[in-house]
Amino acid sequence: MTFEASSRVTLLFDFWNVQGPAGMVLSVFVVLLLTVFYEMLKVWRVWLGSSSKLAQRQSPHAAPPFSQGTVLNCSISESSLTTIESQPPAPDTRNRARWLLHSIQTVLHVLQVTLGYMLMLCVMSYNTWIFLGVIFGSVLGYFISFPVL
């Protein structure tokens, strides 16, 4: 098969049957928007993963945890300077948050893979205009969503 610049093409499903220039312009626009969404979804997944890793990481300059014995052995001035940290969340809460984050990332991954394969099938229609819509959508989506990282 070779690429062709026709205004007649069937994309993905039988009901998405393009028969004229107006339909082709609309189809290219829809494919472009789907590709922009695909690129934004990729960046969102990376951002979500990196922000969760940053939240789990602890600062190397953090004060040691507060213990009862240190205050009793210190003078009043030293104990007033001692930072009191709040208790870390219970392990059960952290596990729930981890599972929720993992579930969200799994759903986003399924959306990304599904959308990626659908866009690949659009390109495999070998229509030049649809192919250019995917390319320009990828460029636009990356340009828009990259500052998030």
Side-chain angles (χ1 to χ4, degrees), residues 4-11 16-33 122 125-134:
E4 60 181 346
S6 171
S7 63
R8 295 176 182 266
V9 68
T10 301
L11 290 173
W16 195 350
N17 193 6
V18 181
Q19 295 296 326
M24 181 56 74
V25 168
L26 181 63
S27 293
V28 168
F29 184 70
V30 168
V31 168
L32 185 131
L33 288 179
C122 286
S125 70
Y126 291 102
N127 186 290
T128 305
W129 307 119
I130 298 296
F131 176 72
L132 290 175
V134 170

Side-chain angles (χ1 to χ4, degrees), residues 105-121:
Q105 286 179 334
T106 301
V107 168
L108 292 177
H109 176 73
V110 168
L111 279 173
Q112 180 184 346
V113 169
T114 303
L115 192 55
Y117 278 123
M118 290 175 73
L119 291 170
M120 179 194 67
L121 289 173

Side-chain angles (χ1 to χ4, degrees), residues 41-116:
L41 195 61
K42 284 193 328 187
V43 169
W44 189 23
R45 281 190 59 222
V46 169
W47 177 81
L48 192 61
S50 66
S51 67
S52 68
K53 287 177 187 169
L54 287 176
Q56 290 175 357
R57 213 178 290 158
Q58 292 197 4
S59 171
H61 305 291
F66 177 75
S67 69
Q68 200 71 351
T70 57
V71 173
L72 296 176
N73 297 333
C74 301
S75 68
I76 295 174
S77 61
E78 289 176 346
S79 65
S80 64
L81 295 176
T82 304
T83 58
I84 299 175
E85 293 185 11
S86 62
Q87 293 289 333
D92 189 40
T93 306
R94 277 188 269 161
N95 284 337
R96 276 192 218 142
R98 230 179 261 147
W99 276 106
L100 178 65
L101 179 66
H102 182 66
S103 299
I104 291 170
Q105 286 179 334
T106 301
V107 168
L108 292 177
H109 176 73
V110 168
L111 279 173
Q112 180 184 346
V113 169
T114 303
L115 192 55

